[in-house]
Amino acid sequence: MILGLVLSLTAFAGAGTAHSPKWVKGKAFDRFAIIWLENTDYDLAAGDPNLAWLAKKGITLSNHFAVTHPSMPNYAAAISGDYYGINHDDLVAIPSNVSTLVDLLEDKGISWGEYQEDMPSTGFQGQEYRNPKTGANMYVRKHNPAVLYDSVAQKQDRLARIKNLTLFNEELKSNTLPQWMFITPNMTSDGKCPLSPAK
């Protein structure tokens, strides 16, 4: 099961963005953030105080299920509506003629971005990034939907919008968060293990 939290983020002030010269007024939300957790029981995730706090800020998609197994096809489908028969987590490059939500957002002048916890650098396209001290797998490409598509991976301006999660706070403070965001926790924080309380 994939647990999705959708946040309207009305608490995030300001209307301007760094990625778009204009602000596109939404019908229901002016900003939209998606956070995916996976491979955990819904009750466990919903009982976590941090996630309960986040859920109060938006809506919880409690009847949202994966399209297949394993992980990567679900992330691919999240931004294009299809998983193209992918049935593995190996490296893929979905051809640039396949349209994605990124194309739709840009066509409408809506700023977008992805924030990937522990991704080593902006626009990183490697398969994974392991903790240099422990060897633990932190960032994985298979959980980064936009980079799976050549229409993003082959364009530097689009790759520049896929960043480490640490930049989220900086962009929040500088009022430069995009209007649409996909946020992926690392392999420790994505629900596979018990969640730790906020400090």
Side-chain angles (χ1 to χ4, degrees):
M1 179 178 107
I2 293 176
L3 172 66
L5 296 176
V6 179
L7 307 177
S8 66
L9 304 178
T10 55
F12 296 153
T17 72
H19 301 303
S20 176
K22 63 180 180 175
W23 185 261
V24 179
K25 181 76 178 144
K27 290 182 180 179
F29 312 113
D30 288 341
R31 236 186 216 129
F32 192 80
I34 301 163
I35 305 170
W36 268 20
L37 303 176
E38 61 172 66
N39 298 336
T40 191
D41 182 71
Y42 175 82
D43 291 332
L44 177 65
D48 178 85
N50 297 306
L51 296 178
W53 178 86
L54 276 174
K56 289 178 186 174
K57 304 293 181 190
I59 56 175
T60 303
L61 302 177
S62 58
N63 196 26
H64 181 77
F65 300 93
V67 294
T68 190
H69 187 77
S71 295
M72 188 173 55
N74 297 292
Y75 286 83
I79 65 165
S80 73
D82 198 338
Y83 65 98
Y84 313 101
I86 299 168
N87 60 2
H88 56 79
D89 282 337
D90 300 332
L91 185 66
V92 298
I94 300 170
S96 59
N97 66 331
V98 175
S99 296
T100 68
L101 186 58
V102 168
D103 299 301
L104 179 63
L105 292 168
E106 289 184 356
D107 287 348
K108 299 293 184 182
I110 299 170
S111 59
W112 66 274
E114 283 189 346
Y115 297 92
Q116 302 285 317
E117 187 175 16
D118 290 329
M119 188 172 76
S121 61
T122 296
F124 180 72
Q125 295 188 58
Q127 186 79 351
E128 63 184 29
Y129 178 73
R130 293 185 176 272
N131 183 306
K133 292 182 182 177
T134 67
N137 201 351
M138 298 176 357
Y139 164 83
V140 289
R141 185 178 191 269
K142 67 184 181 180
H143 292 175
N144 180 346
V147 81
L148 302 175
Y149 292 85
D150 282 348
S151 62
V152 173
Q154 294 178 353
K155 294 185 177 181
Q156 289 302 315
D157 62 323
R158 287 181 167 183
L159 283 175
R161 297 178 187 197
I162 303 173
K163 305 171 183 178
N164 186 297
L165 184 57
T166 56
L167 295 174
F168 180 92
N169 278 334
E170 290 179 26
E171 294 182 3
L172 173 61
K173 288 176 186 172
S174 65
N175 193 29
T176 56
L177 285 173
Q179 285 189 261
W180 183 92
M181 294 168 268
F182 195 101
I183 301 168
T184 308
N186 67 17
M187 292 290 284
T188 301
S189 303
D190 70 353
K192 287 183 171 70
C193 301
L195 301 164
S196 59
K199 296 182 179 181

